[in-house]
Amino acid sequence: MRKLVVGNWKMNGSMASMAEVAAISRAAAGYPGVDVGLALPATLIAAGTEHGASLMIGAQDVHAQASGAFTGSLSADMVREAGAVLTIVGHSERRQMQGETNADVCAKAVAGMAAGLHVILCVGETLAVRDAGHAEAVVAEQLAQSLPPGVSPANLAIAYEPIWAIGTGKVASVAEVAAMHAAIRAKLQALAGAQAGDFRLLYGGSVTAANAACLLATANVDGALVGGASLTAAGFIPIIAAGAGPA
């Protein structure tokens, strides 16, 4: 399975950052066996498509509705028109800070797919949930309630992001990642049947050049959702290279 490595710039970047996008794009062209994307701030999507010819440029979120009185929101069709080909939905920061529910995330995924976007659906647990021994059950329930009907591996990937490992410098152990990704794969088998093995499962949680090779070599890890390390070519290119495997 081709690896998918996507950077999430969150609320970072400006037009001056297009030099980094261009550098990442040039490097990505040298790894044709890896799909590489950047989820940029909405203000940079159009410019990103101009400077990132080898990249899948995407949005960090979309609204569930196609239009309406939703001040400050962007529909899936809007970001698609700007040049996006993918979108993230259900990122833990939106679930926590904006109070998004599984139903909200599912509706956004439906909207993204209807607009022709590739959707990256995020799931993940808090440290309290993990410490209580409920991590796999909680993530499985998130997946069951967030996964839209009629989904296929062609238009959706799943990103497991342990909330306690995002922006903290903490990284789940290889054993923890392998166990959770296996549990997600098993839940997909129950939800999606025979195509379960074709969904790409990404790991997202303080992925860096130092740990990417180990994480991406883990069973059922088909790529990475990368935060801070994706903001520069120097930080992101080694992760792309890790996705390509040994030279």
Side-chain angles (χ1 to χ4, degrees):
M1 185 183 295
R2 290 172 61 89
K3 299 290 189 185
L4 173 61
V5 178
V6 177
N8 176 16
W9 277 25
K10 305 187 180 183
M11 199 172 70
N12 296 290
S14 65
M15 288 300 295
S17 306
M18 288 305 103
E20 297 293 342
V21 173
I24 291 168
S25 180
R26 288 192 297 271
Y31 298 99
V34 183
D35 293 326
V36 183
L38 287 176
L40 300 174
T43 55
L44 300 180
I45 290 173
T49 62
E50 295 178 9
H51 292 82
S54 300
L55 306 175
M56 301 168 65
I57 299 298
Q60 298 169 17
D61 184 52
V62 293
H63 198 278
Q65 297 298 318
S67 63
F70 304 107
T71 301
S73 297
L74 295 173
S75 72
D77 284 329
M78 287 174 175
V79 299
R80 177 78 188 200
E81 186 175 53
V85 297
L86 65 82
T87 187
I88 299 170
V89 299
H91 192 281
S92 61
E93 290 163 357
R94 294 202 62 86
R95 288 180 184 263
Q96 290 188 296
M97 297 177 190
Q98 276 72 42
E100 292 186 2
T101 65
N102 291 326
D104 294 330
V105 175
C106 182
K108 290 184 174 191
V110 169
M113 292 187 300
L117 298 173
H118 187 80
V119 172
I120 299 174
L121 170 63
C122 298
V123 293
E125 84 283 4
T126 64
L127 184 59
V129 166
R130 175 160 286 275
D131 286 345
H134 304 313
E136 292 183 10
V138 165
V139 169
E141 185 64 15
Q142 278 185 340
L143 183 60
Q145 294 184 11
S146 301
L147 195 70
V151 70
S152 83
N155 56 21
L156 184 137
I158 294 151
Y160 166 58
E161 40 164 22
I163 295 170
W164 46 272
I166 299 172
T168 64
K170 297 180 180 179
V171 182
S173 70
V174 169
E176 289 170 330
V177 173
M180 183 60 80
H181 279 233
I184 292 171
R185 188 76 73 189
K187 187 63 177 179
L188 280 171
Q189 182 68 46
L191 295 170
Q195 62 181 348
D198 296 327
F199 283 94
R200 290 193 283 196
L201 308 186
L202 317 184
Y203 173 75
S206 296
V207 179
T208 67
N211 60 37
C214 185
L215 289 167
L216 289 168
T218 303
N220 284 307
V221 176
D222 309 308
L225 182 60
V226 185
S230 70
L231 294 174
T232 65
F236 198 36
I237 292 169
I239 301 173
I240 297 170

